[in-house]
Amino acid sequence: MNQSTVILQFICPDRPRLVSELSSWIADNGGNIIHADHHTDRGAGLFLSRIEWDFKGFRLNRELLLSEVNSLAHRLKGTARVSFSDCSPKVAIFVSKQSHCLVDLLWRVQSNELPMKLALVVSNHQDLQSICNDFGVPFRYIKVDTKDKLIAEEKIIEVLYQHQIELIVLAKYMQILSANFLSKYPTVINIHHSFLPAFKGANPYQRAWERGVKLIGATAHYVTEELDDGPIIDQAIAHVSHRDDVVDLIRKGRDTERIALARAVRLHLRRQVMVYRGRTAVFA
Amino acid sequence: MNQSTVILQFICPDRPRLVSELSSWIADNGGNIIHADHHTDRGAGLFLSRIEWDFKGFRLNRELLLSEVNSLAHRLKGTARVSFSDCSPKVAIFVSKQSHCLVDLLWRVQSNELPMKLALVVSNHQDLQSICNDFGVPFRYIKVDTKDKLIAEEKIIEVLYQHQIELIVLAKYMQILSANFLSKYPTVINIHHSFLPAFKGANPYQRAWERGVKLIGATAHYVTEELDDGPIIDQAIAHVSHRDDVVDLIRKGRDTERIALARAVRLHLRRQVMVYRGRTAVFA
Amino acid sequence: MNQSTVILQFICPDRPRLVSELSSWIADNGGNIIHADHHTDRGAGLFLSRIEWDFKGFRLNRELLLSEVNSLAHRLKGTARVSFSDCSPKVAIFVSKQSHCLVDLLWRVQSNELPMKLALVVSNHQDLQSICNDFGVPFRYIKVDTKDKLIAEEKIIEVLYQHQIELIVLAKYMQILSANFLSKYPTVINIHHSFLPAFKGANPYQRAWERGVKLIGATAHYVTEELDDGPIIDQAIAHVSHRDDVVDLIRKGRDTERIALARAVRLHLRRQVMVYRGRTAVFA
Amino acid sequence: MNQSTVILQFICPDRPRLVSELSSWIADNGGNIIHADHHTDRGAGLFLSRIEWDFKGFRLNRELLLSEVNSLAHRLKGTARVSFSDCSPKVAIFVSKQSHCLVDLLWRVQSNELPMKLALVVSNHQDLQSICNDFGVPFRYIKVDTKDKLIAEEKIIEVLYQHQIELIVLAKYMQILSANFLSKYPTVINIHHSFLPAFKGANPYQRAWERGVKLIGATAHYVTEELDDGPIIDQAIAHVSHRDDVVDLIRKGRDTERIALARAVRLHLRRQVMVYRGRTAVFA
């Protein structure tokens, strides 16, 4: 598993020969496929493919590979994304005051569960600086005033540019990102503290308690302009009973949040998630 | 487990000595407690108790027992319900065209999983008559016209009176019961084909598919006038993926519906559910 | 989904070009792939593939298709199995006295959840004849004496031959099939009433209760000569607590058995299961 | 929830009046019951009770309370344990090299999820010293030589005495504790990396992979002399597929281990677990 691999994610209008064309191109260039998943959404008329092969022995260098894939995508009227398993993306984690998702992610990065370079943690509060120090991760405090939100966002964007961030993980960041921000940094994973689409919006645990649900959940999803409405990557649930107060729901909810967010980030980093039409295909 | 037991369900404003008063009254009359669960909802200031004891050896007959419990409830400003495990309630199952919940319940009744007397099945369609015949259960077809709904309901109510029905189970009955009906038959359990409160209303599986959820669920709840908003008894979930079409969601959903409904009916019949303030306490 | 499809299941030693060869052969003959899953077990050095494509428009008839696939398998030193979605296999369900899995399967067959022709139910007891009659399924009672087991098996084998049975489902059949039987009918799915490999053998629920486990399970697996040791297809679990007696474990266990067996049979029928080295790959 | 409460855990031979006697004694002394759970194991002829009440307003001081409970237990031929929610027990966590359970517990202690005083971490390796420093928890390295195990244990016991340890949590401590050790420190919670009783002993994930299971699990249990055979407190599971290598099983297993161990420790600390006859009753 330590060998470097290439991962191709490909979406295009469905038509015959697609698996053959992609796999033959790989074979013709000496690639040995390790994993290959294909999915056809017949209603949408779309073909989705994720293929992973050994980079060792492949006859094209990275530049040529990208160039040929782009030609392929152009010819098939689709879109392609190529990733190399030895190039971990640079990631920024955004937090506010709650530590449970952050500590979980820090531990998983340290334990090599998540193939990423954690460049820094950004926060609108100073509470979690110390734990970042413990794990040796740079922490950047950027205050967000309700009236000057866009100024704060500009500062954040500048920091992200400096660190060449490719992925943002909102690990209980209690600020809404603007459309402008998302246009510059479109790849953002958020953890929502409910089983979406139930209890969209504020205070989901209080409302879940009042409604007397028997299961609570958490939803990890990509962020879109429409709040709590982005493509869902993963969901986790926990059983609750009348014995559980709101604080117990919050406590149990933290575990579902940690699990769902960590799984979603890993799936994303391993390029197992493909987004189309507001939904995800997760090749896991 | 075959011995006859008494089950007391008691709700009253919380104050000291309640467990003691209830359990001493039982002990003073020779009752040996088998199960006892108490719950205090501190926010609501309410005490809820479910106590089950051997009827054999208890010194009060049924009439006296009920009379003394009523006095107790009156003195403690609460409400009490007494059930005897040897008196199974008479139940009517309402269906339309879908058979999955009906067949499941028929089999469970036949297998003695559900302590109830299934008096009849009521339906606004004739499709499921044959399966009822197979299981030896009376089937009553009562057509429901959209313009004459209340007339149909009157016919149903008459049939229910004749059979002295105590509990109605809506096993995919695709008609909404009127406020008038519910005032006469308030104890109705419904299975809703979604993980409430997500996807309230029509076509939940289609909408769940479009939203791209990774888990679907079903919710068994008591029926109230407010559609899909009654106290939740049980919820079940199933994992789904992008490989699942809407028909797959429906198929997987059927299993969650069967499981959640059967569990809810059993919990109700064993008097393990207590309703207060739009919520349930489930002593399971 | 109603169109007829071809499903190819292919296992061979891993080497480059395999996906390309298979998919190009399909494309060259005019096949449009709907689903394609490939898995490489690097430790075993094996490549496993399941490809499904529209039969309509494919340029080979069934005979030629099978012949070319066999050539392909021979050249690649592998094994291939071809199935057509419009040819449902003939299935025999074996039961003894317990009805829960049988009724569940009968209902699912009737509801078109399981693409199979249920030819008959075989039993060593007469208890379940009536329910088979209700569902219009032939029932064949073949008594099994402990001392004449092989004679009974010969009778069963004769019946299976007559009905051209391709798959046997043991839905709580409380007899062990001999090596001789399995050599003639090797494709047998069994439901085991425990979370294998825990509680192999007899009385698993009693032993689970004594051990005080908090979860119980059921395991659907292919039958091999080694009892309870065949390749696992699916497992399901249920939560239990100290409040549950052995009878409650058995009751909850029945639900896990029904779910796991039905899922396993469906996965098998849709050719989503591939067996190798005592394990299964399940492309679901 | 911040008020101090008394928790009584009571086990005695079953007979009438037990709930009444316990609750009347509490009421007579001015105690207002918040939670009360009773369970009768009819097979064992045992009555188990857990009652929690407000200490504020209770007319007995701690000393008198304990003395009266002991008299009660003596008279009813049972055993009683009294805990005060404002007296968190002193706990030692034992670790070796793996950090996942330790970090999880450290975070939960810091977040006030676990009502305990974490006195120190004991380890036979030095790897986890740094993380303990980060969380401000004393770390004690005590080397364990295979030939001088008992000497190491004596050192450990001395340290535990010094810190007045009441509970030991084995958070992936890869040493077996001797009968002598357990006689001195009988209250030890362990996390076992399998779904007991499957895969007892070494290398459970490797063996689970080879067996091709579709679910893996972890089991938190009290430690007894008989390895992997102590009373089970909690179990957690995760789904696996043929796509998961042994390393994936280990990774997914870590999450089940963290969840099951944390839940078990919390249940124990809140005195929700009662042990009898090698099993637990968990009042949750």
Side-chain angles (χ1 to χ4, degrees):
Chain A
M1 270 304 171
N2 296 333
Q3 287 191 24
S4 176
T5 60
V6 188
I7 298 158
L8 171 65
Q9 292 175 295
F10 203 92
I11 304 183
C12 69
D14 191 33
R15 66 165 184 73
R17 297 207 74 87
L18 288 170
V19 177
S20 169
E21 293 211 28
L22 295 178
S23 56
S24 297
W25 173 77
I26 293 164
D28 290 346
N29 287 296
N32 189 28
I33 290 175
I34 310 166
H35 297 292
D37 295 277
H38 318 286
H39 176 64
T40 308
D41 185 324
R42 296 213 140 187
L46 285 175
F47 168 81
L48 295 89
S49 180
R50 180 198 184 277
I51 310 181
E52 184 169 1
W53 67 91
D54 286 327
F55 192 42
K56 194 179 164 184
F58 198 64
R59 288 190 210 108
L60 304 178
N61 64 24
R62 294 178 198 226
E63 203 177 342
L64 277 172
L65 193 166
L66 288 170
S67 151
E68 292 210 5
V69 163
N70 282 338
S71 305
L72 207 59
H74 187 255
R75 185 162 59 76
L76 297 170
K77 297 182 174 49
T79 55
R81 175 197 294 264
V82 173
S83 313
F84 298 94
S85 69
D86 56 9
C87 292
S88 301
K90 293 199 182 69
V91 179
I93 297 176
F94 284 30
V95 297
S96 290
K97 293 182 168 187
Q98 294 178 67
S99 64
H100 56 289
C101 287
L102 175 65
V103 171
D104 188 71
L105 291 173
L106 289 172
W107 175 79
R108 290 184 198 270
V109 170
Q110 194 183 58
S111 306
N112 296 317
E113 283 197 5
L114 299 174
M116 68 188 225
K117 286 184 202 113
L118 179 51
L120 85 162
V121 170
V122 173
S123 182
N124 59 332
H125 293 279
Q126 292 174 301
D127 308 53
L128 303 180
Q129 171 134 29
S130 160
I131 187 74
C132 290
N133 292 349
D134 291 343
F135 278 85
V137 175
F139 179 90
R140 185 67 182 264
Y141 167 58
I142 296 174
K143 201 181 167 189
V144 179
D145 276 328
T146 23
K147 51 184 179 183
D148 289 334
K149 281 194 64 166
L150 293 186
I151 292 174
E153 276 198 352
E154 286 305 322
K155 282 187 203 162
I156 295 173
I157 287 169
E158 204 184 301
V159 171
L160 300 178
Y161 272 130
Q162 284 165 10
H163 286 86
Q164 298 174 283
I165 295 304
E166 292 153 274
L167 168 69
I168 295 168
V169 177
L170 306 185
K172 308 298 290 176
Y173 182 64
M174 306 312 272
Q175 295 287 330
I176 294 164
L177 299 173
S178 72
N180 172 57
F181 185 98
L182 291 173
S183 71
K184 288 177 182 160
Y185 279 95
T187 308
V188 182
I189 295 174
N190 184 43
I191 181 67
H192 183 81
H193 44 178
S194 92
F195 193 77
L196 286 174
F199 306 118
K200 281 189 189 185
N203 295 325
Y205 292 118
Q206 176 68 37
R207 286 152 62 211
W209 186 88
E210 283 163 11
R211 185 63 187 86
V213 298
K214 302 305 179 191
L215 292 169
I216 56 167
T219 304
H221 63 96
Y222 289 110
V223 175
T224 54
E225 274 190 60
E226 186 81 22
L227 193 63
D228 300 342
D229 218 27
I232 293 171
I233 308 169
D234 198 69
Q235 299 188 291
I237 59 117
H239 292 263
V240 296
S241 83
H242 62 276
R243 295 167 203 267
D244 292 306
D245 286 322
V246 176
V247 291
D248 296 309
L249 266 59
I250 292 170
R251 175 176 51 78
K252 291 184 171 183
R254 283 196 293 259
D255 280 344
T256 63
E257 292 169 18
R258 300 199 304 175
I259 292 287
L261 182 58
R263 282 201 303 228
V265 170
R266 190 170 196 275
L267 288 166
H268 173 89
L269 291 168
R270 292 175 58 89
R271 308 299 176 189
Q272 293 176 283
V273 189
M274 296 180 71
V275 177
Y276 75 103
R277 304 207 168 185
R279 312 171 75 248
T280 62
V282 178
F283 294 117
Chain B
M1 269 302 170
N2 296 331
Q3 287 192 22
S4 176
T5 61
V6 188
I7 298 157
L8 171 66
Q9 292 175 294
F10 204 93
I11 304 184
C12 68
D14 191 31
R15 66 165 184 72
R17 294 208 76 87
L18 288 169
V19 176
S20 168
E21 293 211 27
L22 294 179
S23 57
S24 297
W25 173 77
I26 293 163
D28 291 346
N29 288 294
N32 189 29
I33 291 174
I34 310 167
H35 298 292
D37 294 278
H38 317 287
H39 176 64
T40 308
D41 185 323
R42 297 214 140 186
L46 285 175
F47 168 82
L48 294 89
S49 181
R50 181 198 183 275
I51 311 183
E52 184 169 2
W53 66 93
D54 286 327
F55 192 42
K56 194 178 163 186
F58 198 63
R59 288 190 211 110
L60 304 178
N61 64 24
R62 294 181 198 224
E63 202 177 340
L64 278 172
L65 193 164
L66 288 169
S67 153
E68 292 210 5
V69 163
N70 282 338
S71 305
L72 205 61
H74 186 257
R75 185 162 59 75
L76 297 171
K77 297 184 174 50
T79 54
R81 175 196 295 264
V82 173
S83 313
F84 298 94
S85 70
D86 56 9
C87 292
S88 302
K90 294 200 181 67
V91 179
I93 298 177
F94 284 31
V95 297
S96 290
K97 293 182 168 186
Q98 295 179 66
S99 66
H100 57 288
C101 287
L102 176 65
V103 171
D104 189 69
L105 291 173
L106 289 172
W107 175 80
R108 289 183 200 271
V109 170
Q110 194 182 59
S111 306
N112 296 316
E113 282 196 6
L114 299 174
M116 69 189 224
K117 286 183 202 113
L118 180 50
L120 83 165
V121 170
V122 172
S123 181
N124 59 332
H125 293 280
Q126 292 175 300
D127 308 52
L128 304 180
Q129 173 136 26
S130 159
I131 186 76
C132 289
N133 293 349
D134 291 344
F135 278 87
V137 176
F139 178 89
R140 185 68 182 264
Y141 165 57
I142 296 175
K143 200 181 168 190
V144 179
D145 274 329
T146 23
K147 49 184 178 183
D148 288 334
K149 282 194 62 166
L150 294 186
I151 292 172
E153 277 197 353
E154 286 305 323
K155 283 187 204 160
I156 296 173
I157 287 169
E158 205 183 301
V159 171
L160 300 178
Y161 272 129
Q162 284 165 10
H163 286 85
Q164 297 175 282
I165 295 304
E166 293 153 273
L167 169 68
I168 295 167
V169 177
L170 306 185
K172 307 300 289 176
Y173 182 64
M174 307 311 272
Q175 294 287 331
I176 293 165
L177 299 173
S178 71
N180 172 58
F181 185 98
L182 292 173
S183 72
K184 289 177 183 160
Y185 279 96
T187 309
V188 182
I189 295 174
N190 183 43
I191 181 68
H192 184 81
H193 44 181
S194 91
F195 192 77
L196 287 175
F199 306 118
K200 280 189 191 185
N203 295 324
Y205 292 119
Q206 176 68 38
R207 287 150 63 211
W209 186 87
E210 282 163 12
R211 184 63 186 87
V213 297
K214 301 305 180 192
L215 291 169
I216 57 167
T219 304
H221 63 96
Y222 289 111
V223 175
T224 53
E225 274 189 59
E226 186 81 25
L227 194 65
D228 300 343
D229 218 27
I232 293 171
I233 307 170
D234 199 70
Q235 300 189 293
I237 59 119
H239 293 263
V240 296
S241 84
H242 62 277
R243 294 167 203 265
D244 291 306
D245 286 322
V246 176
V247 290
D248 296 309
L249 266 58
I250 291 170
R251 175 176 51 79
K252 291 184 171 184
R254 282 197 293 257
D255 279 345
T256 63
E257 291 169 19
R258 299 199 305 175
I259 292 287
L261 181 59
R263 282 200 303 228
V265 171
R266 190 171 197 275
L267 289 165
H268 173 87
L269 291 168
R270 293 175 58 88
R271 308 300 176 189
Q272 292 177 283
V273 189
M274 296 179 72
V275 176
Y276 74 102
R277 304 207 166 183
R279 312 172 75 245
T280 62
V282 179
F283 294 117
Chain C
M1 269 305 172
N2 296 333
Q3 287 192 22
S4 177
T5 60
V6 188
I7 298 158
L8 170 65
Q9 292 176 294
F10 204 92
I11 304 183
C12 68
D14 191 32
R15 64 164 185 72
R17 294 207 78 85
L18 288 169
V19 177
S20 169
E21 293 211 29
L22 295 178
S23 57
S24 297
W25 173 77
I26 294 163
D28 290 346
N29 288 295
N32 189 27
I33 290 174
I34 310 166
H35 298 291
D37 295 277
H38 317 287
H39 176 64
T40 308
D41 184 323
R42 297 213 138 188
L46 285 175
F47 168 81
L48 294 89
S49 181
R50 180 198 183 277
I51 311 182
E52 183 169 2
W53 66 93
D54 286 327
F55 192 42
K56 195 180 164 183
F58 198 64
R59 287 187 212 112
L60 304 178
N61 64 24
R62 293 180 199 226
E63 202 178 340
L64 278 172
L65 194 164
L66 287 170
S67 150
E68 292 210 4
V69 164
N70 283 337
S71 304
L72 206 59
H74 185 256
R75 184 162 59 75
L76 297 171
K77 296 182 174 48
T79 55
R81 174 196 295 264
V82 173
S83 314
F84 298 94
S85 70
D86 56 8
C87 292
S88 302
K90 293 199 183 67
V91 180
I93 298 177
F94 285 29
V95 297
S96 290
K97 293 182 167 186
Q98 294 178 67
S99 65
H100 57 287
C101 287
L102 175 65
V103 171
D104 189 71
L105 291 173
L106 289 173
W107 175 81
R108 290 183 198 271
V109 170
Q110 193 182 60
S111 305
N112 296 316
E113 282 196 5
L114 299 174
M116 67 188 226
K117 287 186 202 110
L118 179 51
L120 83 163
V121 170
V122 173
S123 181
N124 58 333
H125 293 279
Q126 292 175 300
D127 307 54
L128 303 179
Q129 172 137 27
S130 160
I131 187 75
C132 289
N133 292 349
D134 291 343
F135 278 87
V137 176
F139 179 90
R140 186 68 183 263
Y141 166 57
I142 296 175
K143 202 180 166 190
V144 179
D145 275 328
T146 22
K147 49 185 179 181
D148 288 334
K149 281 193 64 165
L150 293 186
I151 293 172
E153 277 197 351
E154 286 305 323
K155 282 187 204 162
I156 296 174
I157 287 169
E158 204 183 302
V159 171
L160 301 178
Y161 271 130
Q162 284 164 10
H163 286 85
Q164 297 175 284
I165 295 303
E166 292 153 274
L167 169 68
I168 294 168
V169 177
L170 306 185
K172 307 300 289 177
Y173 182 63
M174 306 312 272
Q175 294 286 332
I176 293 165
L177 299 173
S178 71
N180 172 56
F181 185 99
L182 292 173
S183 72
K184 289 178 181 159
Y185 279 96
T187 309
V188 182
I189 296 174
N190 183 43
I191 181 67
H192 183 82
H193 44 178
S194 91
F195 192 78
L196 287 174
F199 306 118
K200 279 189 191 186
N203 295 324
Y205 292 118
Q206 176 68 38
R207 286 151 62 210
W209 187 88
E210 282 163 11
R211 186 63 186 85
V213 297
K214 302 306 180 191
L215 292 169
I216 56 167
T219 304
H221 63 96
Y222 289 111
V223 175
T224 53
E225 273 189 62
E226 186 81 25
L227 193 64
D228 300 342
D229 218 27
I232 293 171
I233 307 170
D234 198 69
Q235 298 188 293
I237 59 117
H239 293 263
V240 296
S241 84
H242 62 277
R243 295 166 202 267
D244 291 306
D245 286 323
V246 176
V247 290
D248 296 309
L249 265 60
I250 291 171
R251 175 176 52 79
K252 291 184 171 183
R254 282 196 293 257
D255 279 345
T256 63
E257 291 169 18
R258 299 198 305 174
I259 292 287
L261 181 59
R263 283 200 303 229
V265 171
R266 190 171 196 274
L267 288 165
H268 174 87
L269 291 168
R270 292 174 58 87
R271 310 298 177 189
Q272 292 177 283
V273 189
M274 296 180 71
V275 177
Y276 74 103
R277 303 206 168 186
R279 311 171 77 246
T280 62
V282 179
F283 293 116
Chain D
M1 270 304 172
N2 296 332
Q3 286 192 23
S4 176
T5 60
V6 188
I7 298 158
L8 171 65
Q9 292 174 294
F10 204 92
I11 305 183
C12 68
D14 191 31
R15 66 164 185 73
R17 295 208 77 86
L18 289 168
V19 177
S20 169
E21 293 210 29
L22 295 178
S23 57
S24 297
W25 173 77
I26 293 163
D28 290 346
N29 287 295
N32 189 28
I33 290 174
I34 309 167
H35 297 292
D37 294 279
H38 317 287
H39 176 64
T40 308
D41 186 323
R42 295 215 140 186
L46 285 175
F47 168 82
L48 294 89
S49 181
R50 180 197 184 276
I51 311 181
E52 183 168 3
W53 66 91
D54 285 327
F55 193 42
K56 194 179 165 185
F58 198 64
R59 288 190 210 110
L60 304 178
N61 64 24
R62 294 179 198 227
E63 201 177 341
L64 277 172
L65 193 164
L66 288 170
S67 151
E68 292 210 5
V69 163
N70 283 338
S71 304
L72 206 59
H74 186 257
R75 185 161 59 77
L76 297 171
K77 296 183 172 48
T79 55
R81 175 196 294 263
V82 173
S83 313
F84 298 93
S85 69
D86 57 8
C87 292
S88 302
K90 294 199 182 68
V91 180
I93 297 176
F94 285 29
V95 296
S96 290
K97 293 183 169 185
Q98 295 178 67
S99 65
H100 57 289
C101 286
L102 175 65
V103 171
D104 188 70
L105 291 173
L106 290 172
W107 175 79
R108 289 183 200 270
V109 170
Q110 193 183 60
S111 306
N112 296 315
E113 282 197 5
L114 299 174
M116 67 188 227
K117 287 184 201 113
L118 179 51
L120 84 162
V121 170
V122 173
S123 182
N124 59 331
H125 292 279
Q126 291 175 301
D127 307 54
L128 303 179
Q129 171 136 29
S130 160
I131 186 75
C132 289
N133 293 349
D134 291 343
F135 278 85
V137 175
F139 179 90
R140 185 67 183 264
Y141 166 58
I142 296 175
K143 200 182 168 190
V144 179
D145 274 330
T146 24
K147 50 183 179 183
D148 289 333
K149 281 193 65 164
L150 293 186
I151 292 172
E153 277 198 353
E154 285 305 323
K155 283 187 202 161
I156 296 173
I157 288 169
E158 203 184 303
V159 171
L160 300 178
Y161 271 130
Q162 284 165 12
H163 286 85
Q164 298 174 282
I165 294 305
E166 292 153 274
L167 169 69
I168 295 168
V169 177
L170 306 185
K172 308 299 290 176
Y173 182 64
M174 307 313 272
Q175 294 286 332
I176 294 164
L177 298 173
S178 71
N180 172 58
F181 185 97
L182 291 173
S183 71
K184 288 177 181 159
Y185 279 96
T187 309
V188 181
I189 295 174
N190 183 43
I191 181 68
H192 183 82
H193 44 179
S194 91
F195 193 77
L196 285 175
F199 307 118
K200 281 190 189 184
N203 295 324
Y205 291 119
Q206 176 68 37
R207 286 152 61 212
W209 187 88
E210 282 163 11
R211 184 65 186 85
V213 296
K214 301 305 180 191
L215 293 168
I216 56 167
T219 303
H221 63 96
Y222 289 110
V223 175
T224 53
E225 274 191 61
E226 186 81 22
L227 193 64
D228 299 344
D229 217 27
I232 293 171
I233 307 170
D234 199 69
Q235 299 189 292
I237 59 117
H239 292 264
V240 296
S241 83
H242 62 277
R243 295 165 202 268
D244 291 306
D245 285 322
V246 176
V247 290
D248 296 309
L249 265 57
I250 292 170
R251 175 177 51 79
K252 291 183 171 184
R254 283 196 293 257
D255 279 345
T256 64
E257 291 169 17
R258 299 198 305 174
I259 292 287
L261 181 58
R263 282 201 303 229
V265 170
R266 191 172 194 274
L267 288 166
H268 173 88
L269 292 168
R270 292 175 58 89
R271 308 299 177 188
Q272 293 176 283
V273 189
M274 295 179 71
V275 177
Y276 75 104
R277 303 205 167 187
R279 312 171 74 245
T280 62
V282 178
F283 294 117

